[in-house]
Amino acid sequence: MPKIYEYLGITFLIYTDDHLPIHVHAQYGEFESKIELYFDNGELVDVVFQRVRGKKELAAAQRRQAEQLVREYYLGIVEKWNEVMVLGRKPIFERITKKG
């Protein structure tokens, strides 16, 4: 499960044996949520949080921060998803230190 981003202590991952829709897992300590990205004509139209079985969901503050990153970096997430899921490559990890 390659790490693709880290933002404000939240780690964003793609599980290599995962499935569509395009999504990332956001972890913060013992908390984890799945964030699905939905598109229409190549534009991000919705971000949906899902529970991860056996994990506690991200708290509200981390959910807001995670959604902010996903909405700002969705093109990079799609690129990294394709690297992992289509090309079988390890994507470049990015640590984002500036609050968006």
Side-chain angles (χ1 to χ4, degrees):
M1 72 179 114
K3 292 183 198 178
I4 61 169
Y5 292 109
E6 183 180 293
Y7 176 63
L8 301 175
I10 304 167
T11 302
F12 295 81
L13 314 142
I14 297 173
Y15 290 175
T16 55
D17 61 349
D18 236 333
H19 51 80
L20 291 172
I22 293 174
H23 64 276
V24 293
H25 289 256
Q27 293 179 339
Y28 185 79
E30 63 192 43
F31 303 93
E32 181 176 342
S33 293
K34 180 170 81 169
I35 308 168
E36 298 175 344
L37 289 73
Y38 290 95
F39 298 89
D40 186 23
N41 290 321
E43 293 297 318
L44 182 66
V45 293
D46 203 6
V47 172
V48 177
F49 282 77
Q50 300 287 346
R51 292 189 61 133
V52 175
R53 186 180 5 210
K55 300 284 186 172
K56 297 176 188 174
E57 290 183 84
L58 293 177
Q62 283 73 42
R63 281 177 59 114
R64 283 190 301 275
Q65 293 165 341
E67 184 171 349
Q68 180 180 5
L69 177 118
V70 168
R71 289 190 180 277
E72 187 170 337
Y73 287 84
Y74 75 91
L75 292 174
I77 291 170
V78 170
E79 182 179 313
K80 292 171 188 286
W81 173 274
N82 285 328
E83 286 180 36
V84 172
M85 303 304 286
V86 177
L87 301 175
R89 288 192 248 160
K90 184 177 179 181
I92 295 172
F93 170 74
E94 296 178 56
R95 181 169 284 119
I96 299 161
T97 57
K98 292 184 180 182
K99 202 170 183 177

